[in-house]
Amino acid sequence: MENRLFIFDTTLRDGEQVPGCQLNSVEKIEVAKALEELGVDVIEAGFPISSPGDFNSVVEISKAVTWPTICALSRAVEKDIEVAAQALKYAKRKRIHTGIGTSYYHINYKFNSNQDEIIERAIACVKYAKSFVEDVEFYAEDAGRTENEYLAKVIEAVIKAGATVVNIPDTTGYCLPEQYGEKIKYLYENVKGIDRAVISTHCHNDLGMATANSIAGITNGARQVEVTVNGIGERAGNTSLEEVALIVKSHDSLKVETNINTKKIYKTSCMISSLMNMPIQPNKAIVGRNAFSHSSGIHQDGVLKRRENYEIIDPADVGINESSILLTARSGRAALNNRLEILDIKLSKERLDSVYEEFLLLADKKKDINDDDIMLLVGDVKTEERRIKLDLLQVVTGKSLIPMATIQLDIAGEKFSATKSGNGPVDAAIKSIKSIIHRKTKLQEFLIQAMTRGSDDIGKVHMQVLHDEQVYYGFGANTDIITASIEAYLDAINKMSHNGRQVNQQKELIEDNNK
Ligand code: KIV
Ligand code: ZN
């Protein structure tokens, strides 16, 4: 048995049939080029008779792509086959994929026909396709629910008619892996001339068995798998390319090899997900956001001791270079230290202890802590040096309420508080501060940014505060943006204090004002 497994990608045909996933021709060319780089053997570029847009995409992809075979779908209808052949005009390697339903349901309720007539039509479509191209793939639609004896007759007839590849689709995703494997084995053992064609799997995921069925097909003699990136496809989708590629790579016992450059998988997956507006479920095998993330302390510890303790795939093998350790409230000091090392940050033992305490406080408020958060925690050394510190901030705000803020400041060890109203909570808090520290300041710029994605994220605030014709920059970061804003304002005020006027003068000022 050959050990080369051909990867037939149908992201642009079966995948693109999904409502909401349609791409324009330019995007399809981009995807086709990415698939070529990934190393797929066949790109099913579309169903040319279905629309002028599909026809045009097959033409343009044929021009743009160099080495993979370009395949066009057709029904067992002469006009379909002619149009498919026209669309493939510029392909360097071309294949027509034609076929007909072979199950009891399809023969009786779709074609209102009988088994003999269906065999005749199958032979005719292959012969007609063969008059245009050498490489003809035949699909027996709903082969998953077609009895094996009849299926074998159809397959034997189409191979005799010239089919080079015979596709055995489990169109409804019904088969169990043993049943599907048994079907492929039956064809392999009972179809005369089967060695002149490649058997192809085409499994749908309605019962979550598409990949298992494809693998059962491979172990029983199939040497082409029809797949889509991210398993995208109608209903529950198709067999996912990345799963098959990684299963084959991880299990030598399967004795097959693909041409897939697995390092390009993640990039291609992200690109297709975003172009097709089809988010990837976080726990999706291989490409999901959590596929290589360890969040429990025990697993993190195990992975840090040796990756293989909990990982069967190196994330780098699929092009993911991020750390697999997800920092959460359950992470230990070792996990934090590991991330610091990756970020090339060296801390003393005492400093690590204090950063870890701050990290745990942050992790209680924010689900996962990313590298930017860590940088902020580590960089946030100013608090201890600041002479004016924020002890307490309480705001009342909302629709139909007058925003109020109560502030308590620690100035060189002494406590001062004030409550003021304002046109918003930040304005109220700054007015409270101004009522304690009588500084003439003017906010010149006030920028709030979320560090990453979620609503639980850290907000970063940059401020430019004008005082005595000089601009002072203030920075604050907190999961609460009002606190971050006030920290930024105080950061700027502290810089003013350092700039000539010492805290004692501050205190004098305050005392004067309180007289
Ligand atoms: O699922 C299926 O049967 C198909 C064929 C058209 C190949 O997509
Ligand atoms: Zn399909």
Side-chain angles (χ1 to χ4, degrees):
M1 222 181 260
E2 273 283 324
N3 70 350
R4 177 73 157 79
L5 178 68
F6 297 103
I7 301 292
F8 175 115
D9 182 276
T10 184
T11 308
L12 292 171
R13 200 277 298 169
D14 230 355
E16 214 247 352
Q17 276 170 217
V18 179
C21 286
Q22 277 67 39
L23 303 176
N24 61 38
S25 288
V26 176
E27 291 166 331
K28 283 187 188 175
I29 292 168
E30 222 180 299
V31 170
K33 285 189 161 165
L35 293 172
E36 179 172 33
E37 257 195 68
L38 185 63
V40 308
D41 299 285
V42 184
I43 296 175
E44 187 163 48
F47 181 14
I49 191 90
S50 68
S51 72
D54 240 39
F55 179 89
N56 195 41
S57 301
V58 176
V59 173
E60 295 307 323
I61 290 170
S62 297
K63 290 181 192 163
V65 162
T66 312
W67 75 263
T69 296
I70 305 300
C71 180
L73 186 78
S74 75
R75 292 167 296 182
V77 172
E78 287 196 350
K79 187 72 191 154
D80 279 33
I81 296 168
E82 284 161 25
V83 174
Q86 279 166 26
L88 289 170
K89 187 172 160 203
Y90 298 100
K92 287 102 200 156
R93 294 190 181 90
K94 51 187 90 174
R95 177 183 296 175
I96 293 179
H97 190 191
T98 186
I100 195 159
T102 52
S103 67
Y104 171 82
Y105 292 103
H106 283 221
I107 294 175
N108 290 286
Y109 305 119
K110 194 170 154 184
F111 299 110
N112 194 17
S113 184
N114 59 58
Q115 289 192 334
D116 291 340
E117 248 177 50
I118 292 295
I119 293 194
E120 288 315 310
R121 286 185 67 178
I123 294 170
C125 74
V126 170
K127 283 192 171 158
Y128 196 55
K130 206 72 187 169
S131 70
F132 296 98
V133 295
E134 180 43 42
D135 192 2
V136 174
E137 174 167 338
F138 174 81
Y139 65 84
E141 195 178 6
D142 206 12
R145 291 187 301 170
T146 303
E147 62 279 25
N148 293 348
E149 295 74 14
Y150 176 63
L151 185 62
K153 266 193 185 173
V154 178
I155 297 303
E156 195 166 303
V158 296
I159 293 176
K160 206 163 159 219
T164 45
V165 180
V166 285
N167 178 12
I168 313 301
D170 182 21
T171 306
T172 57
Y174 171 74
C175 287
L176 292 170
E178 299 97 278
Q179 290 170 338
Y180 191 76
E182 190 52 46
K183 195 175 280 293
I184 302 297
K185 187 168 185 242
Y186 185 88
L187 297 175
Y188 200 73
E189 289 175 351
N190 292 283
V191 170
K192 253 191 253 138
I194 195 72
D195 50 324
R196 296 205 303 273
V198 170
I199 303 178
S200 183
T201 67
H202 179 112
C203 298
H204 280 265
N205 204 30
D206 297 68
L207 292 173
M209 294 188 288
T211 300
N213 285 346
S214 303
I215 299 299
I218 296 169
T219 53
N220 285 285
R223 284 297 174 266
Q224 176 179 281
V225 276
E226 306 199 359
V227 291
T228 59
V229 174
N230 301 335
I232 198 164
E234 277 199 275
R235 310 185 306 278
N238 290 53
T239 304
S240 98
L241 182 152
E242 59 279 5
E243 291 173 16
V244 172
L246 266 292
I247 289 170
V248 164
K249 192 175 160 78
S250 313
H251 287 273
D252 292 345
S253 61
L254 289 173
K255 298 195 181 78
V256 286
E257 278 169 15
T258 70
N259 185 50
I260 297 296
N261 177 354
T262 59
K263 290 202 160 60
K264 307 251 173 196
I265 282 180
Y266 187 62
K267 189 175 142 216
T268 315
S269 155
C270 292
M271 171 198 179
I272 287 173
S273 160
S274 88
L275 283 176
M276 287 190 158
N277 298 317
M278 189 54 124
I280 301 166
Q281 72 190 63
N283 58 330
K284 166 80 182 64
I286 320 295
V287 291
R289 177 159 39 88
N290 296 346
F292 299 103
S293 299
H294 305 274
S295 57
S296 89
I298 294 172
H299 282 211
Q300 293 190 342
D301 189 51
V303 168
L304 288 172
K305 284 181 175 138
R306 193 176 167 102
R307 190 183 58 73
E308 287 86 349
N309 280 340
Y310 287 101
E311 271 182 14
I312 55 160
I313 303 163
D314 185 344
D317 280 351
V318 292
I320 300 175
N321 295 314
E322 279 168 29
S323 166
S324 60
I325 301 292
L326 199 69
L327 292 176
T328 69
R330 280 170 287 152
S331 298
R333 220 171 284 247
L336 176 65
N337 201 28
N338 169 264
R339 182 66 61 89
L340 290 168
E341 275 170 18
I342 293 168
L343 295 171
D344 204 21
I345 298 171
K346 289 178 190 57
L347 297 182
S348 65
K349 165 133 187 7
E350 295 68 45
R351 182 74 187 122
L352 175 65
D353 288 348
S354 79
V355 169
Y356 184 64
E357 291 308 313
E358 289 169 39
F359 159 79
L360 288 180
L361 289 175
L362 179 62
D364 267 346
K365 296 185 213 155
K366 190 172 186 284
K367 267 189 278 132
D368 21 274
I369 309 292
N370 57 37
D371 290 351
D372 288 332
D373 299 331
I374 299 293
M375 303 287 266
L376 275 176
L377 285 180
V378 173
D380 194 15
V381 285
K382 289 163 278 168
T383 334
E384 293 92 75
E385 293 159 14
R386 284 179 187 165
R387 308 309 301 266
I388 307 173
K389 293 180 200 159
L390 181 64
D391 257 2
L392 178 142
L393 168 65
Q394 191 173 42
V395 294
V396 180
T397 188
K399 194 163 183 261
S400 317
L401 277 178
I402 296 170
M404 301 282 286
T406 298
I407 284 273
Q408 183 175 297
L409 298 180
D410 175 320
I411 304 179
E414 274 188 62
K415 312 285 181 191
F416 301 88
S417 358
T419 300
K420 290 278 167 205
S421 61
N423 62 14
V426 174
D427 184 49
I430 289 178
K431 284 191 172 130
S432 306
I433 294 173
K434 281 183 166 175
S435 75
I436 301 171
I437 303 165
H438 295 263
R439 279 277 159 83
K440 266 209 166 131
T441 60
K442 192 164 177 260
L443 230 62
Q444 281 209 318
E445 201 166 303
F446 179 16
L447 185 73
I448 305 181
Q449 271 180 307
M451 293 283 295
T452 47
R453 296 152 288 218
S455 60
D456 64 346
D457 205 349
I458 289 193
K460 278 194 309 184
V461 175
H462 291 271
M463 259 186 202
Q464 286 182 24
V465 184
L466 187 70
H467 171 68
D468 264 357
E469 294 178 6
Q470 201 173 330
V471 176
Y472 295 86
Y473 292 88
F475 174 74
N478 200 288
T479 48
D480 172 52
I481 53 166
I482 300 167
T483 306
S485 307
I486 298 315
E487 292 282 11
Y489 183 71
L490 287 176
D491 189 32
I493 296 283
N494 272 295
K495 286 172 183 160
M496 293 167 203
S497 309
H498 282 274
N499 194 26
R501 273 171 252 184
Q502 297 303 310
V503 171
N504 286 343
Q505 291 170 300
Q506 294 269 2
K507 284 169 79 181
E508 281 167 26
L509 246 162
I510 292 157
E511 277 153 20
D512 280 353
N513 279 305
N514 288 346
K515 270 178 197 162

